[in-house]
């Protein structure tokens, strides 16, 4: 897995975030780019967890089931699993229900989203 690309996306998001929600909402296409980078970074982290799941013979129909399987087998700490499940759900919204994304909430919580990505990524790096 290309962890550098995940870190690059996290860095670009942090650098691209404006100081206020009003500025964020007015970014237009650039705001969409922030969401796309977020989706990409989450997807890469979930792909890393998928590799780990294959190593543990976990077959799942969703990322949530996959992460729960990893947690049940003790392959991933519960604290990391909780963050990964949240990220999987956020990715689903970004992909399939983009029109419902609340810019105010995303602006307020973006740093937390990025920290969740970094937490899961740190775990993955340590598991290799």
């Amino acid at each position: 897995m290309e962890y550098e690309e995940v870190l690059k996306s996290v860095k670009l998001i942090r650098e691209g975030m404006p100081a206020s929600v009003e500025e964020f909402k007015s970014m237009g296409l650039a705001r969409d780019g922030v969401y796309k980078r977020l989706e990409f970074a989450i997807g890469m982290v979930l792909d890393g967890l998928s590799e780990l799941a294959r190593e543990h013979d976990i077959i799942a129909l969703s990322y949530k089931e996959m992460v729960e399987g990893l947690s049940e087998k003790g392959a991933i700490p519960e604290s990391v699993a909780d963050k990964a499940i949240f990220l999987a759900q956020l990715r689903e919204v970004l992909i399939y229900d983009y029109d419902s994304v609340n810019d105010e909430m995303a602006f307020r919580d973006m740093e937390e989203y990025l920290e969740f990505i970094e937490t899961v990524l740190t775990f993955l790096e340590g598991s290799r």
Side-chain angles (χ1 to χ4, degrees):
M1 180 175 151
E2 295 295 324
Y3 298 122
E4 300 84 28
E5 290 299 316
V6 175
L7 294 173
K8 178 181 174 184
S9 288
V10 168
K11 182 179 182 215
L12 287 170
I13 293 168
R14 282 194 174 114
E15 290 173 352
M17 289 300 288
S20 72
V21 69
E22 291 77 20
E23 289 176 84
F24 182 64
K25 290 170 73 172
S26 70
M27 287 173 61
L29 194 55
R31 182 192 66 236
D32 293 343
V34 168
Y35 288 135
K36 194 64 179 170
R37 279 288 179 169
L38 180 63
E39 174 196 324
F40 171 78
I42 294 169
M44 292 292 289
V45 166
L46 292 174
D47 286 349
L49 289 173
S50 291
E51 290 176 26
L52 188 61
R54 281 191 294 278
E55 293 170 14
H56 287 85
D57 297 320
I58 295 170
I59 299 171
L61 296 176
S62 69
Y63 284 119
K64 181 177 188 265
E65 284 182 18
M66 176 193 69
V67 173
E68 288 170 343
L70 286 167
S71 181
E72 288 168 8
K73 287 195 172 197
I76 185 172
E78 190 173 330
S79 61
V80 174
D82 290 344
K83 289 171 176 55
I85 289 169
F86 175 83
L87 290 172
Q89 293 168 338
L90 177 59
R91 182 175 174 269
E92 294 292 315
V93 170
L94 291 170
I95 293 173
Y96 301 112
D97 204 12
Y98 185 70
D99 291 341
S100 73
V101 173
N102 181 309
D103 290 332
E104 290 88 1
M105 185 184 304
F107 178 81
R108 181 191 70 219
D109 295 339
M110 187 63 69
E111 186 56 36
E112 182 178 37
Y113 304 158
L114 299 177
E115 288 173 8
F116 282 14
I117 291 168
E118 290 171 328
T119 297
V120 177
L121 185 62
T122 298
F123 168 78
L124 286 169
E125 288 176 321
S127 70
R128 298 290 165 205

